[in-house]
Amino acid sequence: MTVEKRNIFLNNTNVSIPYVSRSAVIGANYPKRDNTKAHGAFIARSLKACYERSDVQKQAAAIRYKEGVYLEFSGAAKHDMAIKSLENRIQGIRLLNVKLDDEKEIVKATVYIPAGKEAFFLDKAGAYLTEVNKKSGKPKNNDLISSIENIRLAMLDSFWIGLEADIPELEPCWCEVWIRYDISTRKNKVISSMEDARASLIKCCELLDIERDEKELHFPERIVFLIRANKTQLTNLISTCEYIAEFRRAPEPTDFFNELQAAEQREWVEELAKRTHFSDSNTSICLLDTGLNGGHPLLAPAIKDSGNVQSVIQSWGSDDHYGHGTEMAGIALYNDLKETLVDGADVNINHKIESVKILPPHGENPIKLYGAITEQAVAVAELSNPHVERTICMAVTSPYYNTGDGSPTSWSAAIDNITSGANENGQKRLFIISGGNVCPNELESLEYPEASIVHGVENPGQAWNAITVGAMTNDINIIGSSYKGFYPVADVGELAPYSSTSISWNSKWPIKPEILLDGGNMATNGVDYTECEDLSLLTTGDNHLTRPFSTIWGTSSAAAQASWMAAQIYAEYPNIWPETVRALLVHSASWTEKMYKQFCKEDSKTKGRRQLLRACGYGVPNLSKAIQCVSNSVNLVIQGTLQPFTKDSMNEMDLHTIPWPREVLESLGEVKAIIKVTLSYFVEPGPGEVGWKDKYRYPSCGLRFDVINSNENEEDFKKRVNVKMRGDDKKDSGDGSSRDWYLGVQNRDVGSIHSDFCEDLAVNLCDANMIAVYPVIGWWRERSYLNKYKEKIRYSLVVSIETPNVETDLYTSVITKIETRTTPTTEIEIPY
């Protein structure tokens, strides 16, 4: 598309100031013990009994037994447990995983105690029985010992993450085994037990005759292996290996579709090929899928060379054995192929297509550690073609053995590693994933859209840094005679019946999907539900010699369209950051009226708006709004970096001054206008089921934004967001207040992209010229022994003001203001 008014990239807008976060005191809900003596004695007896039972097991074991012991601590029902106090790194006592029994509302924690350190908790219990804390008047170690309800030797279920019904029985199954390793610093030298942990796991697998896949995933203090084991072997692995942290069932990707019939003729392909012009572009979309049949005449010119169609395993071949990858390519390249065919105008394609096959041919579908496969696929593409601005697109998901609540998996965490560059030189990447599909048969027992509410976004769609794409529908016309008596399930502008959501997730996890694009529609006769060619999207077929066209639907087609949009932004703004492309797509999105009616019947932040957000993300992106400004709507883009932490404390925040044209906004008076802010950054993941709080938070760092309000001055604003600015009176938060944001902080401040808008009188927005970007806690600071607290984080900030009057010229006024204040700069060179 032709861009007339480019987005305005600002630089040198920020002042970095020292930052201290606002405290939010949340009291722990520990149980009160009426008889502390009896409770302390019970805890001591339980510990001794566990150690004695462990000794007996070691003496009777027919296999080499590990030296330490695994214990499972349980809290009281509906109460907290002092999780942090269950670990002592100096003593080698490690917290392995933390789980919540939702039915009984009991917190359980699995802990490793090395040989010779058995007295650690016994001494804690002894002090609880005999000593008093002079300051509180409570028994010593009160929070820890009082919060423990029961202790037992950890069994297989203590390590199992997911449904217990998924634990293998006699038949071996592919499972993930997460092992811990320690990192310490002695005399400024980093010492890691990673190789010891790896060697122990490998040796124990050999001893127990457990099949092990050669690939592995690396995260902070965790390594993930894929093993094929039954219940007895997993139990024995716990007995022999002292590094086990958790087990999970390995995911099986299933989100693929049978090839559909297509009625298009080959001459249509030839006609379109004649009027399509392919530029020699540095922009590319890399499909991680079932392969690509690159000989298709509509695709071949977009493939730089045969080396860009590859496979993670050469013996699989790079051709498309299933058809799904080639179908994805047609959408990723042409976006709306049907419209392109009937339009008749010349077509300009300004990006290339790459393919890395990540799924084997039929009949050869072994379970794989898909996080490692995904990492390998990205590496294969980058080695072959290293200097391109690449959008990675993957419509391979799994509904099986998922976490269910939105918490990360090894696969989703691997994608966060890839995007953040955590395991490499910090190279950031844009990754787009389909949300996974509701199958037609699910609507036979659950009505639409209830099936979408229940069906959570599939693994690895919970990845924080990826754009996860859901589906909406644009088609309701059924023409084919084979669908007589059938009608569309959803109306135009509604959530597509295929689309999964995050409504059923815990609200602390990211908003997924972030955006929706066309995923077609289902057809029903009131009893049966089915895919329908008339309600699907036209695309390229894998066998172009006999059937050049096919159809595609669901979140796969939506993800391909999102990739196409991203490629247009990359092509228009060379060297733009991946974080910024992601921000622009989300920033441009809005909900349809039909979506409001479906999910926001009660228009409140805590109910309707939250459900709307969790079902439809931020809405349907608008490429025109993402890629350019218009006179009455201006996108200001800032790409910044800050160091959030120093050792054990917060470090700095950025305060940006925005060049809004005060006089234009004032002249509009009481005309309503909208200010919208989107903040995007990539976190380095710290996965593992270890409570997701304290030092085991998943994100390395979080960022937040706030905008100065019309009822406060600069000093008040600084005091409100930054305790460091309050002087001696730390309670002096200034005289102002936050704006009335549509979503609010409780909804938007999850994940690693935050977007919100506020409607106000234009005259009140002329003062919205200052934006704060500040850090919140993450494991970079909490786990200081990993020496990551000095790391810097990049972020992209998109800010816009839009007025309803198209004759209002905000754009020219902003450009003029920038030019009069500084040297002209509406674009900047952005280094990697």
Side-chain angles (χ1 to χ4, degrees):
M1 64 182 296
T2 302
V3 174
E4 295 181 0
K5 293 181 172 67
R6 307 187 80 209
N7 292 332
I8 302 172
F9 286 81
L10 301 175
N11 58 1
N12 300 322
T13 60
N14 71 300
V15 174
S16 295
I17 58 178
Y19 177 70
V20 173
S21 58
R22 293 165 284 182
S23 61
V25 179
I26 302 174
N29 180 27
Y30 298 138
K32 295 180 180 179
R33 303 295 178 180
D34 294 331
N35 190 332
T36 57
K37 296 293 184 183
H39 182 71
F42 168 74
I43 295 299
R45 287 197 306 272
S46 299
L47 285 165
K48 290 175 182 176
C50 288
Y51 293 142
E52 289 170 1
R53 197 173 302 120
S54 176
D55 289 338
V56 170
Q57 289 178 357
K58 290 176 183 179
Q59 292 169 10
I63 54 177
R64 182 187 67 84
Y65 218 94
K66 67 180 184 299
E67 293 186 357
V69 62
Y70 293 123
L71 295 183
E72 182 188 86
F73 293 81
S74 298
K78 299 182 179 181
H79 287 84
D80 296 329
M81 190 162 59
I83 299 296
K84 290 178 72 172
S85 299
L86 291 174
E87 180 169 72
N88 188 297
R89 293 183 64 254
I90 295 174
Q91 298 289 329
I93 295 169
R94 299 308 306 267
L95 181 65
L96 305 176
N97 66 67
V98 179
K99 299 190 292 183
L100 174 64
D101 184 326
D102 291 315
E103 185 176 339
K104 297 179 180 178
E105 298 185 65
I106 292 174
V107 176
K108 297 181 179 181
T110 307
V111 177
Y112 173 73
I113 296 110
K117 301 299 179 182
E118 293 84 357
F120 180 80
F121 288 111
L122 285 170
D123 290 345
K124 296 281 186 182
Y128 176 83
L129 282 167
T130 59
E131 300 180 41
V132 175
N133 185 309
K134 294 179 180 179
K135 187 174 181 180
S136 67
K138 296 178 180 179
K140 195 170 183 180
N141 306 316
N142 180 71
D143 290 352
L144 171 62
I145 303 301
S146 290
S147 72
I148 300 170
E149 184 74 11
N150 199 13
I151 308 169
R152 66 163 185 162
L153 282 178
M155 311 295 284
L156 176 56
D157 63 307
S158 305
F159 295 87
W160 189 262
I161 307 301
L163 298 175
E164 288 192 20
D166 293 333
I167 297 176
E169 291 294 339
L170 293 175
E171 188 67 25
C173 296
W174 285 103
C175 302
E176 294 178 4
V177 53
W178 293 56
I179 65 172
R180 65 173 179 87
Y181 66 91
D182 297 327
I183 287 183
S184 59
T185 303
R186 296 175 192 168
K187 296 181 180 179
N188 296 322
K189 183 179 179 181
V190 177
I191 300 172
S192 172
S193 68
M194 178 187 290
E195 289 307 315
D196 291 341
R198 287 182 74 257
S200 175
L201 188 280
I202 292 169
K203 184 176 180 180
C204 289
C205 286
E206 291 173 351
L207 174 70
L208 299 171
D209 196 26
I210 295 175
E211 184 179 352
R212 178 182 57 85
D213 188 76
E214 74 281 358
K215 290 185 173 59
E216 56 192 69
L217 284 171
H218 291 241
F219 300 110
E221 300 183 277
R222 292 289 186 269
I223 310 172
V224 185
F225 291 90
L226 197 64
I227 60 173
R228 188 170 181 268
N230 60 24
K231 189 172 187 176
T232 299
Q233 288 173 312
L234 292 176
T235 300
N236 288 338
L237 192 56
I238 294 169
S239 299
T240 56
C241 182
E242 61 187 280
Y243 294 97
I244 305 297
E246 55 191 80
F247 295 117
R248 305 183 187 213
R249 192 70 175 264
E252 299 178 58
T254 60
D255 195 24
F256 302 100
F257 311 98
N258 291 325
E259 180 183 343
L260 298 175
Q261 299 294 322
E264 310 299 339
Q265 301 296 315
R266 185 182 300 173
E267 54 263 31
W268 291 9
V269 173
E270 295 172 353
E271 190 274 336
L272 177 56
K274 288 177 182 178
R275 56 185 170 88
T276 302
H277 309 283
F278 296 84
S279 63
D280 186 16
S281 171
N282 194 43
T283 302
S284 176
I285 296 174
C286 180
L287 299 170
L288 309 186
D289 214 284
T290 59
L292 179 67
N293 288 343
H296 198 297
L298 294 181
L299 303 179
I303 300 170
K304 188 173 182 180
D305 57 56
S306 59
N308 293 133
V309 180
Q310 305 176 84
S311 175
V312 290
I313 297 178
Q314 290 187 355
S315 62
W316 291 354
S318 59
D319 62 305
D320 190 352
H321 66 273
Y322 199 92
H324 190 262
T326 306
E327 291 166 355
M328 289 288 292
I331 302 294
L333 203 57
Y334 292 90
N335 189 41
D336 190 336
L337 185 56
K338 183 168 66 174
E339 179 67 24
T340 303
L341 283 166
V342 301
D343 183 75
D346 282 0
V347 179
N348 296 307
I349 304 294
N350 57 9
H351 60 282
K352 301 295 186 183
I353 287 289
E354 302 171 309
S355 169
V356 181
K357 188 172 184 172
I358 64 170
L359 289 168
H362 287 302
E364 304 175 34
N365 197 24
I367 298 295
K368 293 289 179 181
L369 192 57
Y370 276 94
I373 288 285
T374 307
E375 285 184 344
Q376 183 181 349
V378 173
V380 164
E382 291 180 346
L383 286 171
S384 176
N385 197 9
H387 304 298
V388 298
E389 292 180 311
R390 177 180 287 106
T391 298
I392 304 164
C393 178
M394 186 174 75
V396 180
T397 61
S398 174
Y400 299 115
Y401 314 127
N402 204 351
T403 54
D405 64 351
S407 56
T409 63
S410 67
W411 195 359
S412 71
I415 289 169
D416 286 333
N417 256 351
I418 293 166
T419 47
S420 67
N423 287 345
E424 305 162 78
N425 58 359
Q427 180 183 349
K428 309 295 190 290
R429 301 171 179 87
L430 184 67
F431 212 117
I432 292 175
I433 308 174
S434 63
N437 290 334
V438 175
C439 296
N441 63 358
E442 293 179 60
L443 276 79
E444 294 174 5
S445 56
L446 285 173
E447 292 184 357
Y448 165 82
E450 185 65 25
S452 293
I453 292 173
V454 172
H455 191 125
V457 165
E458 296 178 359
N459 187 20
Q462 61 268 66
W464 285 43
N465 299 337
I467 301 176
T468 303
V469 187
M472 49 84 65
T473 187
N474 283 323
D475 295 298
I476 56 172
N477 295 319
I478 300 176
I479 301 172
S481 58
S482 59
Y483 294 98
K484 187 176 181 180
F486 279 76
Y487 53 90
V489 172
D491 198 358
V492 170
E494 291 185 333
L495 186 75
Y498 298 106
S499 197
S500 54
T501 71
S502 62
I503 292 176
S504 62
W505 285 7
N506 188 302
S507 61
K508 68 184 177 184
W509 297 118
I511 295 154
K512 296 289 178 174
E514 287 94 344
I515 56 175
L516 306 179
L517 283 160
D518 194 357
N521 206 342
M522 286 187 200
T524 182
N525 58 9
V527 177
D528 306 304
Y529 292 81
T530 182
E531 303 94 356
C532 173
E533 292 92 335
D534 291 335
L535 302 179
S536 303
L537 283 74
L538 186 69
T539 188
T540 47
D542 64 312
N543 191 343
H544 66 274
L545 296 177
T546 59
R547 190 179 294 116
F549 293 112
S550 182
T551 51
I552 191 171
W553 59 88
T555 58
S556 290
S557 62
Q561 290 171 76
S563 301
W564 177 84
M565 284 188 174
Q568 309 315 301
I569 297 172
Y570 267 128
E572 183 64 32
Y573 300 100
N575 297 324
I576 195 173
W577 288 356
E579 300 96 316
T580 309
V581 178
R582 177 188 184 218
L584 287 167
L585 286 173
V586 168
H587 192 82
S588 73
S590 60
W591 302 293
T592 66
E593 287 300 319
K594 294 287 180 65
M595 291 172 191
Y596 275 106
K597 290 179 180 179
Q598 276 187 297
F599 298 104
C600 196
K601 294 174 183 176
E602 183 178 335
D603 189 20
S604 67
K605 288 185 174 73
T606 56
K607 292 187 178 179
R609 295 180 191 180
R610 176 170 296 178
Q611 181 162 274
L612 175 65
L613 185 63
R614 288 286 176 178
C616 303
Y618 294 98
V620 183
N622 182 323
L623 179 61
S624 180
K625 281 192 170 186
I627 209 168
Q628 66 180 346
C629 306
V630 292
S631 293
N632 67 317
S633 180
V634 180
N635 294 330
L636 302 182
V637 182
I638 297 169
Q639 299 182 136
T641 304
L642 62 80
Q643 182 184 323
F645 313 123
T646 58
K647 190 172 183 179
D648 301 324
S649 66
M650 310 303 279
N651 182 44
E652 64 179 356
M653 61 169 278
D654 279 351
L655 205 60
H656 294 276
T657 302
I658 308 299
W660 290 132
R662 168 181 285 271
E663 58 284 350
V664 176
L665 292 169
E666 284 180 336
S667 69
L668 294 173
E670 296 191 357
V671 171
K672 288 289 184 70
I674 293 174
I675 182 171
K676 190 170 188 178
V677 180
T678 302
L679 175 64
S680 171
Y681 54 96
F682 291 161
V683 302
E684 181 180 348
E689 199 75 20
V690 200
W692 310 113
K693 61 181 181 179
D694 303 324
K695 65 181 178 181
Y696 287 111
R697 289 173 173 86
Y698 181 79
S700 50
C701 166
L703 296 178
R704 302 290 185 263
F705 72 82
D706 208 335
V707 180
I708 192 170
N709 203 348
S710 55
N711 64 7
E712 60 188 346
N713 57 32
E714 181 177 339
E715 182 181 357
D716 288 329
F717 179 50
K718 288 178 179 178
K719 286 181 177 179
R720 180 162 64 82
V721 299
N722 187 357
V723 173
K724 189 75 173 180
M725 297 293 104
R726 296 180 184 178
D728 294 333
D729 185 1
K730 300 305 180 186
K731 294 182 180 180
D732 178 14
S733 58
D735 294 329
S737 61
S738 177
R739 292 180 179 274
D740 184 18
W741 296 97
Y742 182 78
L743 294 173
V745 296
Q746 295 301 318
N747 289 321
R748 75 177 187 230
D749 285 351
V750 291
S752 62
I753 186 164
H754 317 292
S755 186
D756 209 346
F757 64 91
C758 175
E759 186 179 49
D760 203 347
L761 303 179
V763 68
N764 290 339
L765 292 183
C766 66
D767 293 317
N769 63 347
M770 189 166 288
I771 299 180
V773 176
Y774 58 90
V776 295
I777 198 67
W779 65 259
W780 274 354
R781 196 193 87 170
E782 296 286 81
R783 290 194 247 181
S784 59
Y785 54 87
L786 295 178
N787 291 318
K788 301 283 284 187
Y789 54 84
K790 291 183 181 180
E791 295 281 337
K792 293 185 177 182
I793 188 167
R794 297 195 328 188
Y795 65 87
S796 298
L797 190 66
V798 181
V799 190
S800 63
I801 284 185
E802 182 175 353
T803 65
N805 189 346
V806 295
E807 296 179 358
T808 303
D809 192 356
L810 293 172
Y811 186 82
T812 301
S813 299
V814 170
I815 294 295
T816 302
K817 191 163 187 176
I818 293 171
E819 290 176 343
T820 56
R821 289 175 54 185
T822 62
T823 55
T825 173
T826 59
E827 299 176 49
I828 57 173
E829 289 294 324
I830 308 161
Y832 283 107

